[in-house]
Amino acid sequence: MSLFFFEKKKKISIYIFAALISLFLSYDSSLRGAVINPDGICYLQSAEAIATTNLSTAMHLCGQAQWPFYSILIYNVVALTNISYISAAFVLNGFFSLISVVTFIYLIGLISASRRVLWCAAAVILLSHEFNSVREYVIRDHGFWAFYLVSIVCLIKFFKTLRWRYALLWSLFSLLAMLFRIEGGVFLLFVPLSALLYFSLPLRQRLKAFFQLNFMSILLVALFAIWLGFFSHQDAQLSRIAEIQFHLIHGLDKLTSSFEQSSTALGQHVLSPYAARDASFVLLLMLGAWYIASVISNVSIVYAALIIFAWIRKAVQFDKPTQWVVWSYVIINVLITMIFLVENMFLAKRYLIALSLILMVWVPFALDNMFELRRRFKWLLPSVIVLMLLTALGGIFDFGYSKSYIRYAGEWLAKHVPANAVIYSNDTQVMYYSKHFGNDIFIKGKLYSDMSVLENGKWKQFDYIALHLDSRDKEKNAHITNEIALSPTHVYANKRGDQVIIYQVEDSGDKK
């Protein structure tokens, strides 16, 4: 018995160590974050709007605010602690990342009781390049990833026991994940189908399992229908939920239409007349290669190689329930992201992190297998560890060009420009830090993004102009600076030459 508690205590130390490192990484990322990301501005402004107006107004400020749970959490943390909105967002993000790290290790612990494998799991998630690189962003994805991983754990336990409590917990955490990202609703809808296809169980048990996993969803749909009956005027606020319904009904048509449009454009504008007839095939190959390259890049080349190594070596033998759950989530993730790629012809890195997290389940076992091979291949494990550390550095430290100049420019405007002055800026982040735009930032941000509004002398209508110029677009920069023809008041720049140029058009007091 004493040996059991000793082993348990030693395993708990792994979780404590990983939790502390995760908190440190989150804290460090909050300090080195040069500027708030554009999506983060939306969440912060909508959280502030909840305090000053109401939820309905906050939800209509900007596109991301239409899914308001994250903004509501930020608002409540501020209300409880009286810290700033940005600090509240970082506290939440750090908490959610902590859940993700601990849950990932626990998930690996469900597969193997080995302490070495658990240490490998801790190293894998804490050194994950892409997961760490987004810690500094104010995005609702942090909450989605946390509860997404917890839902996977609950589903594995459900398939092992078929107990109601795990079915309800899976539904609960999937619903929580959905409150952060609409993709959680996709898992809530389609993961229960895996129960029907789990042929290791008799048909009667599969039907029961399908019902168990759908019970909370059925109950919520019924309650939601009753709510709509009494508050039908709120329909306009449910546009994001309607997205799921739209894709269920029209998804295949939209997917086909998007593919055909892209194929036609490829044939007309890129391929030669001789190859145009093969445009669909070429596009299919392009999308396939693009998707595979994106997944490898997201999970990292080192981890991708370790995943393939684990598959080839059969480094881990999942029991049937775990294997079924893991591959169900892999397949659904692939379908979600592939469909998004075809429909939109782009794929942001963070959209693939949910897939990367489930693929990374194989990596600790690949490392553990390399421990077994270290006598035969002494160079293999040390080389992999070095590559993991080198890859992780890019996610922990910022080696790119600094964006601090954007914040400095905005803060100068906030400090030195009168409240009644009319400011133009083509950069939403500069506008945010200037503290002159309030909730109009999203309307004016779209209007001012096109610098043509300054042409033909129209720049004279503003008291101050803060131009954000990309050093790689020299011709466009020269055109607009020649148009204004004023001496800059201040210039803030980074080492690449990207800059924010501030002009004072005339004395704002005289103008007013």
Side-chain angles (χ1 to χ4, degrees):
M1 183 65 73
S2 59
L3 180 62
F4 170 77
F5 283 111
F6 178 71
E7 286 295 320
K8 188 174 181 180
K9 185 177 180 180
K10 290 172 74 175
K11 287 182 180 179
I12 290 174
S13 66
I14 300 173
Y15 291 97
I16 294 173
F17 171 82
L20 292 174
I21 296 297
S22 179
L23 289 173
F24 171 78
L25 290 174
S26 293
Y27 176 71
D28 178 66
S29 68
S30 70
L31 293 179
R32 64 183 170 86
V35 291
I36 300 170
N37 53 297
D39 285 359
I41 293 172
C42 175
Y43 299 127
L44 295 174
Q45 288 286 113
S46 60
E48 290 188 52
I50 294 172
T52 56
T53 57
N54 54 60
L55 179 59
S56 178
T57 300
M59 288 176 64
H60 289 85
L61 283 182
C62 46
Q64 294 83 358
Q66 293 177 20
W67 210 236
F69 188 64
Y70 183 52
S71 297
I72 293 172
L73 287 179
I74 294 173
Y75 161 74
N76 280 288
V77 171
V78 172
L80 289 171
T81 62
N82 204 32
I83 60 177
S84 68
Y85 284 88
I86 183 61
S87 297
F90 282 130
V91 167
L92 285 170
N93 293 350
F95 174 67
F96 292 138
S97 295
L98 172 63
I99 293 175
S100 295
V101 167
V102 172
T103 305
F104 180 83
I105 299 170
Y106 184 79
L107 172 58
I108 301 303
L110 290 178
I111 303 168
S112 171
S114 167
R115 287 183 63 250
R116 188 169 69 189
V117 172
L118 290 183
W119 276 114
C120 289
V124 166
I125 188 65
L126 291 172
L127 295 176
S128 174
H129 174 275
E130 207 58 47
F131 184 75
N132 285 328
S133 67
V134 297
R135 283 180 185 264
E136 67 179 88
Y137 296 150
V138 178
I139 47 176
R140 50 196 161 95
D141 303 60
H142 298 290
F144 170 72
W145 298 323
F147 295 114
Y148 159 86
L149 284 172
V150 177
S151 73
I152 294 174
V153 168
C154 293
L155 192 64
I156 290 174
K157 290 195 171 187
F158 170 74
F159 272 103
K160 286 184 175 182
T161 63
L162 297 180
R163 292 181 179 176
W164 269 99
R165 65 184 179 191
Y166 292 123
L168 295 176
L169 284 172
W170 173 82
S171 297
L172 173 63
F173 287 114
S174 296
L175 180 62
L176 285 172
M178 178 182 170
L179 291 175
F180 288 94
R181 287 199 65 86
I182 196 71
E183 290 92 326
V186 178
F187 289 101
L188 198 62
L189 285 174
F190 290 102
V191 166
L193 293 175
S194 63
L196 293 177
L197 300 173
Y198 189 51
F199 296 113
S200 297
L201 295 176
L203 178 59
R204 184 175 179 180
Q205 283 188 311
R206 278 185 276 146
L207 291 172
K208 181 183 177 182
F210 178 75
F211 175 74
Q212 287 174 296
L213 293 174
N214 277 303
F215 176 78
M216 185 177 288
S217 298
I218 295 170
L219 181 62
L220 288 174
V221 167
L223 293 173
F224 186 64
I226 295 171
W227 183 82
L228 281 181
F230 286 100
F231 302 99
S232 57
H233 62 283
Q234 300 286 342
D235 287 1
Q237 297 182 9
L238 305 173
S239 57
R240 296 307 306 275
I241 295 177
E243 287 181 24
I244 297 179
Q245 180 184 5
F246 176 85
H247 279 282
L248 287 174
I249 299 172
H250 306 288
L252 184 59
D253 291 337
K254 189 173 187 292
L255 183 67
T256 304
S257 175
S258 297
F259 183 85
E260 289 178 351
Q261 289 176 12
S262 300
S263 176
T264 301
L266 181 66
Q268 291 178 348
H269 304 294
V270 179
L271 300 177
S272 70
Y274 306 103
R277 64 180 182 179
D278 296 322
S280 296
F281 179 67
V282 172
L283 179 61
L284 193 63
L285 290 177
M286 288 174 58
L287 289 172
W290 184 0
Y291 185 80
I292 292 171
S294 297
V295 172
I296 292 174
S297 173
N298 196 275
V299 78
S300 85
I301 295 175
V302 179
Y303 283 8
L306 288 170
I307 292 166
I308 295 171
F309 176 85
W311 290 345
I312 294 173
R313 293 280 302 177
K314 297 182 179 179
V316 54
Q317 296 294 327
F318 296 125
D319 55 37
K320 285 188 176 180
T322 303
Q323 183 180 38
W324 193 252
V325 171
V326 168
W327 280 109
S328 294
Y329 271 82
V330 169
I331 291 169
I332 294 174
N333 267 301
V334 169
L335 289 175
I336 291 173
T337 48
M338 274 292 292
I339 290 171
F340 184 90
L341 176 62
V342 174
E343 289 185 353
N344 299 278
M345 288 296 152
F346 90 96
L347 196 58
K349 287 185 175 181
R350 60 190 172 92
Y351 297 167
L352 286 168
I353 289 182
L355 174 60
S356 296
L357 288 171
I358 193 66
L359 288 175
M360 281 160 49
V361 165
W362 278 274
V363 179
F365 298 98
L367 292 173
D368 184 64
N369 192 262
M370 287 180 178
F371 271 101
E372 301 296 332
L373 296 173
R374 67 186 184 279
R375 292 183 180 178
R376 292 172 54 193
F377 305 99
K378 295 181 180 180
W379 55 271
L380 182 59
L381 183 61
S383 299
V384 169
I385 292 173
V386 170
L387 288 173
M388 285 175 60
L389 291 172
L390 290 175
T391 303
L393 291 177
I396 298 172
F397 302 101
D398 189 0
F399 295 105
Y401 293 99
S402 173
K403 293 184 178 180
S404 297
Y405 69 99
I406 297 174
R407 188 179 78 246
Y408 297 151
E411 289 174 346
W412 186 91
L413 293 169
K415 185 176 181 180
H416 295 93
V417 175
N420 63 343
V422 181
I423 300 175
Y424 167 89
S425 180
N426 60 326
D427 188 280
T428 306
Q429 292 164 308
V430 173
M431 295 169 73
Y432 176 76
Y433 284 106
S434 75
K435 298 181 180 179
H436 272 71
F437 292 88
N439 291 335
D440 290 339
I441 188 172
F442 305 106
I443 298 172
K444 292 185 177 179
K446 291 180 180 179
L447 179 63
Y448 293 170
S449 62
D450 185 354
M451 289 191 290
S452 64
V453 301
L454 299 177
E455 295 179 352
N456 302 318
K458 294 178 183 177
W459 54 270
K460 296 178 182 179
Q461 65 184 299
F462 300 100
D463 299 313
Y464 288 83
I465 298 171
L467 288 180
H468 185 197
L469 303 179
D470 190 322
S471 61
R472 294 164 292 184
D473 200 348
K474 295 181 180 179
E475 184 177 343
K476 185 177 179 181
N477 297 346
H479 171 75
I480 196 65
T481 52
N482 290 336
E483 170 75 24
I484 296 175
L486 291 174
S487 297
T489 302
H490 281 81
V491 177
Y492 297 90
N494 63 11
K495 292 182 179 179
R496 186 172 63 180
D498 304 322
Q499 55 188 340
V500 176
I501 304 177
I502 299 176
Y503 300 95
Q504 182 175 0
V505 177
E506 60 180 82
D507 188 285
S508 58
D510 293 341
K511 185 170 183 177
K512 296 299 176 186

